[in-house]
Structures are given as C-alpha cells and as structure tokens.
Amino acid sequence: MAGLTIRSVRKNYGPVPVIKGVDLDIAHGEFVVFVGPSGCGKSTLLRMIAGLEDITEGTIAIGDRVVNDVEPRDRGVAMVFQSYALYPHMSVYDNVGFGLKLAGTPKDVRDAKIREAARVLQMEHLLDRKPAQLSGGQRQRVAIGRAIVRQPDVLLFDEPLSNLDAALRGDMRMELARLHKDLDATMIYVTHDQVEAMTLADKIVVLDGGVVQQVGTPLELYNKPANLFVAGFIGAPNMNLVAGTVDAINAGELTIALGATKVRVAIEGATSLKAGDAVTLGVRPHALTADASGPLKGIVQLIEQLGNETVVRVKLAEGEEITAVLPGQSGHAVGAPITLAFDPASAHLFGTDQLRVG
C-alpha cells in the first residue's frame, strides 16, 4: 500500500472549472472520505486519481510515482463503484477472480487470492453462487472482493452503499471499517452522506464547488468547522445558524443580539469584531436544552419522538426556526411555548466573510 499526494490539481470541462486547485496529502493506511453535496466535484476528483478522468493542471502521485500519464490499470489502484457491475452468468468465485484471469495470473495463485479475499470478506460460503442468488449487501461484498484481490496500493470507493437500505448501510459501514483494519489499506471513499463520513473516516475532506473547504478528523470538523458551509454540512441534524449582531464584547465572551434577544457566546483568543458587526450564530441541536430561564423563547412547530430522544422544531419570537434535540421522551406539544438555553462555550460564531471567529 502507498500514500497519495495531490498538488494544485484542476479539472475543466471546456471553459467550465470543476476542480479548482486541490492540494491533499493522504498517508499510507489512512481512510479518507471525500464528502460534499451533489455536484461538488468529489467523484470527479476520485476518478482523476483512478485515471478515468484527465487532469487539466497539477500532479497526482501514488507513493513516489507521478501517475498523471499512467494508464488506470497500471496505477496500482482498484475502484468499487455505486453499481455492483457483476457478471450475472458467472459464480462469485469467477467474478472475484475475473480481473486476475485477464491479467494471466497462474491458476493456483489466482485461487489462493480469491479464497483469501473471500475469507477477509466472510463470504467463503458464497463462492459457488450466482449474483442473482445474493442480497444487495452480498453483491457489494463481491464487488469489493474483486477490487481487493488485486492487492492495489490504493482502494477507491465511489458511493458504494447508496443503493442499500438504511439497516444494510449500517452493517456495511462496519464491514468496511473492519476491512480497513484487516488490510491496513489506503482507502479513499466518496459519499454525500456525512454520517458515513463521520463514522468511517480517519480524515474527512469537505468539498464544495470544486474547492476544499476543510480537511480534518471527524471531531475536528464537528467541533471547529472552519466556515459556514462546513458548519451547516457536518452534523445531523444540521447546525442551527441564526443571523445576529455583536452587542457587547468582554474578555473571552461576546453578547450577540438576535433581534430583541441577547445571548452569550464564548470565544477563544482575541477577536477583531466590534459592537454592531453582523455575525452568524451557530448552535448544534444537541447543545440546546429546555430551560425556563434560557434566552431563546419560541413556539413548538413540529415534534419527532424517537424514543431515546425528541427532535423539536421551534419558531423563535424573532421569526427564525431552529431545531433542538432533547433527551428522552419530551412532554412538549405542537403549538405550545418553549424556552431553550445553551452553554456559551458550545456555540459557534462566523463573521461576514463566513469564516469561523475564535
């Protein structure tokens, strides 16, 4: 296995820029997830690494070798697509080993590699079956087996779980995490599902509009989003983002006016903000509590009872709508008043440039 280095990579389709200067370092053995909304460029960047898309500018190196002009089959990568693309007339055994057969791998070596891949993926009992006899999760395992049997330097995954139902996606996430640990492989995984990104990644790369917005561990992105886009994208439910103005500045703390409501926000270090500056206040739904002494007063618009917690949609007195996730089975009712509070240290603040303050 090997690491990956991406320097100043751009991709244009005619005059239209799609990837706008990406720089990344992916270490050997890392599980890196590219995440972002549809059309952000994450699959295009993955396909450029695989050699399925030409690079307009910049370089991509796998290990110490620049692979810009290297054919896909010679790059030392293997890719698992959203579509399983299995041969329906072949057994699982033959599907997994088909690429090795085309490459002229001796039969005994091919057999050993197929059976080892089957052992790693816990599908030894499926080798004689045809794809039509498999569940969706089993078919995805076969597609993964076909990739890992080649023992590539880098494994690439393009939204491989999006065709599965929710329960099966959860099971397959655990399978992929276990596979990464067993193989000690360098893996790059594309998804629009930030829950997949948070649960699988050693490192997340957040993309929007072909630009890297932030790179970091899942908790780094959750706890300290670099800008408004990352703040609104990472976390479920989404972070509440409310427009306000700076009312007062004290050491390590700001008072923010949200209309007639004033709230306190703790910040780290010095700030260039001054009274009257426009800001955006960010508060995670799980950071809100029902507290009669809190500053946020509103009316309950919607309730989702999930058993262990309750999701409450609230319309504030100023007209903004926010979401709170309250522990347990809430006794609140639609149309009833509610008052919410949050720890000033749990809040996030963003300036007019949309960058994090503090």
Side-chain angles (χ1 to χ4, degrees):
M1 296 294 172
L4 193 79
T5 304
I6 299 174
R7 288 290 177 266
S8 304
V9 164
R10 296 178 179 273
K11 174 65 179 180
N12 298 340
Y13 290 111
V16 180
V18 178
I19 300 295
K20 304 172 184 177
V22 170
D23 291 280
L24 283 174
D25 291 292
I26 298 172
H28 162 74
E30 276 193 310
F31 197 132
V32 176
V33 176
F34 295 169
V35 69
S38 296
C40 71
K42 55 189 184 295
S43 289
T44 300
L45 183 57
L46 192 78
R47 290 172 63 85
M48 291 164 75
I49 294 168
L52 303 177
E53 295 278 359
D54 293 332
I55 299 168
T56 304
E57 291 181 24
T59 60
I60 294 177
I62 298 174
D64 297 325
R65 181 174 64 143
V66 174
V67 296
N68 289 34
D69 300 317
V70 177
E71 290 295 319
R73 65 177 180 271
D74 299 323
R75 291 191 176 203
V77 303
M79 192 161 177
V80 179
F81 296 91
Q82 181 177 347
S83 170
Y84 315 129
L86 303 179
Y87 295 104
H89 63 288
M90 291 184 182
S91 66
V92 168
Y93 180 96
D94 290 333
N95 265 285
V96 171
F98 186 67
L100 296 177
K101 186 176 181 179
L102 286 181
T105 305
K107 187 175 181 180
D108 58 334
V109 176
R110 187 167 75 241
D111 179 75
K113 288 187 175 183
I114 292 169
R115 295 191 183 280
E116 175 60 14
R119 183 195 65 77
V120 168
L121 292 165
Q122 300 179 5
M123 61 178 193
E124 294 159 290
H125 61 295
L126 303 177
L127 289 176
D128 294 328
R129 296 189 192 179
K130 299 286 179 64
Q133 298 171 299
L134 305 177
S135 68
Q138 289 170 334
R139 292 180 194 182
Q140 192 57 272
R141 266 192 264 179
V142 176
I144 294 170
R146 185 174 53 194
I148 69 172
V149 78
R150 295 174 51 196
Q151 298 178 316
D153 293 322
V154 180
L155 270 167
L156 308 175
F157 297 87
D158 191 4
E159 302 198 48
L161 308 185
S162 58
N163 289 334
L164 306 180
D165 61 54
L168 196 49
R169 280 202 305 272
D171 291 341
M172 284 302 298
R173 282 202 300 268
M174 289 188 286
E175 290 281 346
L176 285 170
R178 182 185 58 79
L179 180 65
H180 177 242
K181 183 178 179 181
D182 289 348
L183 295 179
D184 186 30
T186 303
M187 294 185 175
I188 305 175
Y189 186 102
V190 160
T191 182
H192 64 275
D193 185 339
Q194 53 90 22
V195 174
E196 280 184 17
M198 291 289 289
T199 54
L200 283 172
D202 297 321
K203 183 163 67 182
I204 296 176
V205 179
V206 182
L207 288 140
D208 184 44
V211 176
V212 174
Q213 300 293 319
Q214 190 172 357
V215 179
T217 67
L219 289 182
E220 284 172 348
L221 269 60
Y222 185 87
N223 292 327
K224 290 193 173 183
N227 56 39
L228 269 175
F229 176 80
V230 178
F233 193 83
I234 296 295
N238 294 345
M239 183 186 288
N240 297 300
L241 299 170
V242 182
T245 57
V246 177
D247 183 73
I249 302 174
N250 300 303
E253 190 174 86
L254 302 181
T255 300
I256 306 300
L258 310 175
T261 300
K262 294 182 181 180
V263 300
R264 294 182 300 115
V265 176
I267 61 168
E268 297 179 7
T271 176
S272 59
L273 291 174
K274 59 185 183 298
D277 283 352
V279 291
T280 300
L281 172 69
V283 182
R284 297 275 181 203
H286 288 85
L288 290 165
T289 59
D291 185 340
S293 65
L296 301 175
K297 301 182 185 300
I299 303 295
V300 175
Q301 302 292 300
L302 177 69
I303 293 177
E304 296 178 341
Q305 296 281 5
L306 302 180
N308 65 321
E309 61 186 18
T310 304
V311 180
V312 182
R313 188 71 177 170
V314 177
K315 186 172 184 178
L316 298 178
E318 289 76 21
E320 299 270 8
E321 289 197 1
I322 63 173
T323 300
V325 178
L326 305 178
Q329 300 173 17
S330 168
H332 298 284
V334 173
I338 187 172
T339 303
L340 300 169
F342 60 88
D343 182 344
S346 71
H348 306 261
L349 205 61
F350 302 91
T352 53
D353 56 3
Q354 301 192 0
L355 299 179
R356 180 184 183 85
V357 175

